[in-house]
Amino acid sequence: GPFAGLSARVIRRLNAEWYQSFQLYKRGLFNLYRFDRDWQAEGKESKREFEARVLDGFYKIISGEDSPTIAIVANRSAIIAILLNIARRAYGYPDGFYGYVRVDLGSVSVIESESRDQWRIRAVNLTVRRTSRGAGWKLSEDTVHKQD
Protein backbone atom coordinates (compact mmCIF):
# COMPACT_ATOMS: atom_id res chain seq x y z
CA GLY A 1 0.00 0.00 0.00
CA PRO A 2 0.94 3.65 -0.07
CA PHE A 3 2.44 3.59 3.43
CA ALA A 4 4.36 0.31 3.30
CA GLY A 5 7.39 0.35 5.56
CA LEU A 6 6.29 3.36 7.63
CA SER A 7 5.57 3.23 11.36
CA ALA A 8 2.02 3.61 12.65
CA ARG A 9 2.96 6.95 14.22
CA VAL A 10 4.20 8.33 10.89
CA ILE A 11 1.16 7.05 8.98
CA ARG A 12 -1.21 8.58 11.51
CA ARG A 13 0.58 11.92 11.16
CA LEU A 14 0.59 11.78 7.33
CA ASN A 15 -2.99 10.63 6.85
CA ALA A 16 -5.16 10.18 9.94
CA GLU A 17 -8.23 9.12 7.94
CA TRP A 18 -6.32 6.35 6.12
CA TYR A 19 -4.78 5.22 9.41
CA GLN A 20 -8.21 4.99 11.07
CA SER A 21 -9.64 3.03 8.13
CA PHE A 22 -6.71 0.60 8.26
CA GLN A 23 -7.21 0.08 12.00
CA LEU A 24 -10.89 -0.76 11.31
CA TYR A 25 -9.78 -3.17 8.56
CA LYS A 26 -7.47 -5.00 10.99
CA ARG A 27 -10.47 -5.46 13.27
CA GLY A 28 -12.62 -6.88 10.46
CA LEU A 29 -14.81 -3.80 10.03
CA PHE A 30 -13.47 -2.17 6.85
CA ASN A 31 -13.49 -3.41 3.28
CA LEU A 32 -9.95 -3.33 1.87
CA TYR A 33 -11.34 -2.81 -1.64
CA ARG A 34 -12.20 0.74 -0.53
CA PHE A 35 -8.48 1.51 -0.45
CA ASP A 36 -8.17 0.84 -4.20
CA ARG A 37 -8.80 4.44 -5.21
CA ASP A 38 -5.83 5.61 -3.10
CA TRP A 39 -3.48 2.99 -4.55
CA GLN A 40 -4.59 3.61 -8.13
CA ALA A 41 -4.11 7.34 -7.71
CA GLU A 42 -0.44 6.55 -7.07
CA GLY A 43 -0.27 4.29 -10.14
CA LYS A 44 -0.16 1.10 -8.06
CA GLU A 45 -1.97 -2.17 -8.66
CA SER A 46 -5.48 -2.28 -7.19
CA LYS A 47 -6.43 -4.97 -4.69
CA ARG A 48 -8.71 -6.56 -7.31
CA GLU A 49 -5.88 -6.60 -9.88
CA PHE A 50 -3.52 -8.09 -7.32
CA GLU A 51 -6.08 -10.71 -6.34
CA ALA A 52 -6.66 -11.68 -9.99
CA ARG A 53 -2.91 -12.03 -10.58
CA VAL A 54 -2.43 -14.18 -7.47
CA LEU A 55 -5.40 -16.42 -8.26
CA ASP A 56 -4.26 -16.86 -11.86
CA GLY A 57 -0.91 -18.16 -10.58
CA PHE A 58 -2.52 -20.31 -7.89
CA TYR A 59 -4.91 -22.03 -10.28
CA LYS A 60 -2.11 -22.60 -12.81
CA ILE A 61 -0.08 -24.34 -10.10
CA ILE A 62 -2.88 -26.59 -8.86
CA SER A 63 -4.48 -27.36 -12.23
CA GLY A 64 -1.57 -29.40 -13.50
CA GLU A 65 -0.99 -31.40 -10.33
CA ASP A 66 -2.42 -34.77 -9.44
CA SER A 67 -0.35 -35.01 -6.28
CA PRO A 68 -2.29 -35.25 -3.02
CA THR A 69 0.05 -32.67 -1.46
CA ILE A 70 1.29 -29.41 -2.94
CA ALA A 71 3.26 -26.86 -0.92
CA ILE A 72 2.92 -23.25 -2.05
CA VAL A 73 5.12 -20.70 -0.35
CA ALA A 74 3.80 -17.17 -0.72
CA ASN A 75 3.70 -13.84 1.05
CA ARG A 76 0.92 -12.98 3.47
CA SER A 77 -1.12 -10.90 1.01
CA ALA A 78 -1.12 -13.70 -1.57
CA ILE A 79 -2.14 -16.29 1.04
CA ILE A 80 -5.03 -14.10 2.17
CA ALA A 81 -6.20 -13.59 -1.43
CA ILE A 82 -6.24 -17.38 -1.95
CA LEU A 83 -8.05 -18.04 1.34
CA LEU A 84 -10.69 -15.38 0.63
CA ASN A 85 -11.28 -16.81 -2.86
CA ILE A 86 -11.84 -20.27 -1.41
CA ALA A 87 -14.08 -18.81 1.32
CA ARG A 88 -16.19 -17.13 -1.38
CA ARG A 89 -16.59 -20.34 -3.35
CA ALA A 90 -17.07 -22.75 -0.45
CA TYR A 91 -18.63 -20.75 2.38
CA GLY A 92 -20.54 -17.82 0.89
CA TYR A 93 -18.04 -15.13 1.88
CA PRO A 94 -19.25 -11.92 0.16
CA ASP A 95 -17.79 -11.20 -3.29
CA GLY A 96 -17.55 -7.46 -2.81
CA PHE A 97 -15.77 -7.59 0.55
CA TYR A 98 -12.07 -8.03 1.33
CA GLY A 99 -11.84 -8.43 5.08
CA TYR A 100 -8.95 -9.01 7.44
CA VAL A 101 -7.58 -12.52 7.87
CA ARG A 102 -4.90 -13.07 10.48
CA VAL A 103 -1.96 -14.84 8.88
CA ASP A 104 1.19 -14.71 10.99
CA LEU A 105 4.61 -14.63 9.36
CA GLY A 106 5.93 -18.17 8.95
CA SER A 107 2.55 -19.77 9.62
CA VAL A 108 0.96 -22.53 7.56
CA SER A 109 -2.57 -22.66 6.16
CA VAL A 110 -4.02 -25.90 4.85
CA ILE A 111 -6.54 -26.22 2.03
CA GLU A 112 -7.85 -29.47 0.64
CA SER A 113 -9.33 -30.38 -2.70
CA GLU A 114 -12.70 -32.10 -2.62
CA SER A 115 -12.82 -32.28 -6.41
CA ARG A 116 -10.96 -30.71 -9.33
CA ASP A 117 -12.31 -27.21 -8.66
CA GLN A 118 -13.79 -27.50 -5.18
CA TRP A 119 -11.55 -26.56 -2.26
CA ARG A 120 -12.04 -26.37 1.49
CA ILE A 121 -10.04 -24.53 4.12
CA ARG A 122 -8.89 -27.03 6.74
CA ALA A 123 -6.68 -24.80 8.88
CA VAL A 124 -5.39 -21.26 8.98
CA ASN A 125 -2.38 -19.83 10.77
CA LEU A 126 -0.79 -23.03 12.06
CA THR A 127 2.51 -22.64 13.87
CA VAL A 128 5.47 -24.77 12.86
CA ARG A 129 7.34 -26.09 15.89
CA ARG A 130 10.49 -28.13 16.31
CA THR A 131 9.89 -31.62 17.68
CA SER A 132 10.97 -32.29 21.27
CA ARG A 133 14.08 -34.16 20.17
CA GLY A 134 14.94 -31.56 17.57
CA ALA A 135 14.89 -34.17 14.83
CA GLY A 136 12.13 -32.61 12.77
CA TRP A 137 9.21 -30.25 12.55
CA LYS A 138 5.48 -30.47 13.27
CA LEU A 139 2.46 -28.22 12.95
CA SER A 140 1.09 -27.04 16.27
CA GLU A 141 -2.57 -27.94 16.70
CA ASP A 142 -3.13 -25.36 19.44
CA THR A 143 -3.43 -22.58 16.87
CA VAL A 144 -5.62 -24.44 14.38
CA HIS A 145 -8.81 -22.82 13.11
CA LYS A 146 -10.49 -25.92 11.69
CA GLN A 147 -13.79 -26.18 9.88
CA ASP A 148 -16.34 -28.33 11.71
Side-chain angles (χ1 to χ4, degrees):
F3 301 110
L6 299 178
S7 71
R9 182 181 307 150
V10 170
I11 295 168
R12 187 176 29 218
R13 190 177 67 238
L14 293 173
N15 190 328
E17 181 182 348
W18 192 96
Y19 175 83
Q20 180 62 31
S21 296
F22 189 72
Q23 295 307 308
L24 289 171
Y25 163 71
K26 287 177 63 175
R27 287 162 180 79
L29 301 171
F30 188 87
N31 185 354
L32 196 60
Y33 288 141
R34 295 199 52 199
F35 280 131
D36 275 353
R37 68 179 181 270
D38 296 331
W39 289 333
Q40 289 175 316
E42 296 183 13
K44 304 213 174 164
E45 181 178 50
S46 75
K47 182 53 76 178
R48 290 181 193 275
E49 291 165 337
F50 169 78
E51 197 173 8
R53 184 170 53 84
V54 166
L55 295 174
D56 181 56
F58 171 70
Y59 285 109
K60 281 179 183 173
I61 291 168
I62 64 172
S63 68
E65 289 292 330
D66 289 329
S67 173
T69 305
I70 302 169
I72 299 174
V73 179
N75 72 25
R76 185 183 335 202
S77 296
I79 292 167
I80 292 169
I82 292 166
L83 291 171
L84 288 177
N85 179 263
I86 293 169
R88 287 181 183 114
R89 291 172 171 228
Y91 308 113
Y93 190 88
D95 282 331
F97 190 78
Y98 198 103
Y100 180 77
V101 178
R102 180 179 170 193
V103 174
D104 294 334
L105 293 176
S107 68
V108 175
S109 295
V110 179
I111 58 174
E112 185 176 76
S113 173
E114 294 187 337
S115 66
R116 194 65 144 147
D117 60 348
Q118 184 70 5
W119 292 83
R120 293 276 184 206
I121 299 170
R122 294 297 175 214
V124 175
N125 213 29
L126 294 172
T127 303
V128 179
R129 300 198 191 282
R130 205 148 178 68
T131 60
S132 60
R133 295 186 183 157
W137 301 89
K138 69 178 183 175
L139 296 175
S140 173
E141 294 293 326
D142 59 0
T143 57
V144 175
H145 303 284
K146 286 189 174 182
Q147 300 298 318
D148 293 326

